[in-house]
Amino acid sequence: MSHPEMTYSLGHRRVNRLGYGAMQLAGPGVFGPPKDQARAVQVLRDAIAAGVNHIDTSDFYGPHVTNQLIKKALHPYPEDLVIVTKVGARRDQQGGWLPAFSPAELTTAVEDNLRNLGLEVIDVVNLRAMFDVHGPAEGSLETQLATLVKLKERGLIRHIGLSNVTPKQVADAQAITPIACVQNLYNLANRQDDALIDQLAQQGIPYVPFFPLGGFSPLQSEQLSAVANELNATPLQVALAWLLQRSPNILLIPGTSSPAHLQQNLASSALSLSKEIVLRLEGLSNNSD
């Protein structure tokens, strides 16, 4: 397969398709501060130095921890950096994930993100649907989107995206406001969104998969590991390379708190998978016909 074009539009900017997800910079369970703050700051600075210009975060990581680290490491931000956050959830005292879906909670969340990131306006705010914490579930997002549209009119948000949503919710949302990106669980093993990805690609809208390695059973991992060994790469590099080749509108946000892993993740863009290897990998899908 030919090497994929490595940039794509996100909102009003073009970004490198390999970005960085800040989730793992918080403590265990995405709760509390990291064990090593200096290392977390280093990973962020290394990402920017390596050409990353799309960072995915949320104020409910930590909570507040990852945004404060991003500000500490990178503020004042490079001109071309696109910071994407998400709202719609909050954490309880034990670190559980709860919906925070009222207009007041969404407004506070956007204001918290702005303050903790040290920004006047956020490039993209994703509304995370919380009808089911574990995956997309139908339900109306109309009230929540209306709240974000108001914040956009106030100049606090440039673009609105969606996370943890169904194809119907994407279509319904697009009737209310332009949608800048969709962020869902998708990887070699979990391919429920195949049709949605293709549809968004036709509209020029990025799809941002999370958990690129999530959902492998040991058997499938063995197959993935075998391919990785043949290519002299890590399983995660192969999974990321497959996503890059899957569709030009896929933007990746692998996260890590390790500078060495960061470089490994970014090197996956140089990995070209043959048609034969792609076919072998696609045999791993949990929902192939």
Side-chain angles (χ1 to χ4, degrees):
M1 287 173 100
S2 62
H3 198 58
E5 168 74 42
M6 284 310 296
T7 67
Y8 199 77
S9 59
L10 174 59
H12 61 298
R13 318 275 273 284
R14 271 196 98 74
V15 295
N16 292 323
R17 289 179 59 207
L18 253 171
Y20 175 79
M23 189 175 182
Q24 291 187 35
L25 293 182
V30 203
F31 203 59
K35 205 167 55 202
D36 185 342
Q37 191 190 32
R39 192 166 107 145
V41 165
Q42 190 59 51
V43 168
L44 285 161
R45 290 182 177 158
D46 288 355
I48 298 297
V52 166
N53 56 5
H54 167 209
I55 291 181
D56 182 84
T57 185
S58 173
D59 214 56
F60 55 68
Y61 296 162
H64 314 309
V65 170
T66 60
N67 281 350
Q68 289 166 357
L69 282 167
I70 289 166
K71 182 181 175 186
K72 182 182 168 73
L74 304 177
H75 198 277
Y77 299 112
E79 288 274 304
D80 68 338
L81 177 62
V82 176
I83 296 180
V84 178
T85 191
K86 69 188 76 59
V87 296
R90 64 183 178 86
R91 312 300 293 280
D92 64 19
Q93 294 305 307
Q94 289 70 49
W97 303 82
L98 304 171
F101 237 43
S102 70
E105 287 171 312
L106 293 169
T107 302
T108 300
V110 168
E111 288 166 348
D112 285 348
N113 275 283
L114 287 166
R115 186 179 61 253
N116 285 314
L117 288 165
L119 287 169
E120 305 274 300
V121 54
I122 301 174
D123 280 316
V124 183
V125 173
N126 287 327
L127 175 65
R128 183 181 166 86
M130 291 292 286
F131 300 111
D132 181 348
V133 177
H134 303 293
E138 295 298 355
S140 171
L141 299 171
E142 201 174 330
T143 307
Q144 292 73 26
L145 287 167
T147 301
L148 293 185
V149 168
K150 277 189 189 140
L151 294 168
K152 188 176 170 182
E153 285 163 359
R154 277 176 57 193
L156 303 184
I157 297 175
R158 283 201 181 92
H159 304 279
I160 295 168
L162 298 171
S163 178
N164 198 40
V165 286
T166 67
K168 180 184 186 313
Q169 285 165 332
V170 175
D172 290 349
Q174 287 181 308
I176 296 170
T177 187
I179 294 301
C181 56
V182 173
Q183 188 179 98
N184 275 357
L185 170 70
Y186 178 83
N187 52 46
L188 268 169
N190 296 279
R191 297 187 53 189
Q192 295 86 335
D193 275 357
D194 271 334
L196 178 62
I197 289 170
D198 296 340
Q199 198 183 324
L200 292 170
Q202 286 169 352
Q203 300 176 38
I205 296 172
Y207 180 95
V208 187
F210 54 80
F211 299 147
L213 269 187
F216 287 111
S217 74
L219 171 78
Q220 292 163 330
S221 276
E222 278 170 33
Q223 292 179 51
L224 180 63
S225 300
V227 168
N229 286 336
E230 285 168 41
L231 296 175
N232 199 15
T234 69
L236 181 56
Q237 285 177 321
V238 174
L240 293 172
W242 177 79
L243 285 164
L244 286 172
Q245 281 186 210
R246 163 63 184 82
S247 184
N249 66 322
I250 288 182
L251 300 180
L252 299 185
I253 47 165
T256 177
S257 56
S258 149
H261 280 163
L262 172 76
Q263 298 304 335
Q264 273 184 5
N265 290 348
L266 295 176
S268 59
S269 65
L271 207 57
S272 199
L273 307 179
S274 68
K275 279 192 173 144
E276 180 262 334
I277 282 181
V278 167
L279 282 171
R280 276 169 61 193
L281 291 172
E282 290 182 351
L284 306 184
S285 173
N286 289 337
N287 52 317
S288 51
D289 294 332

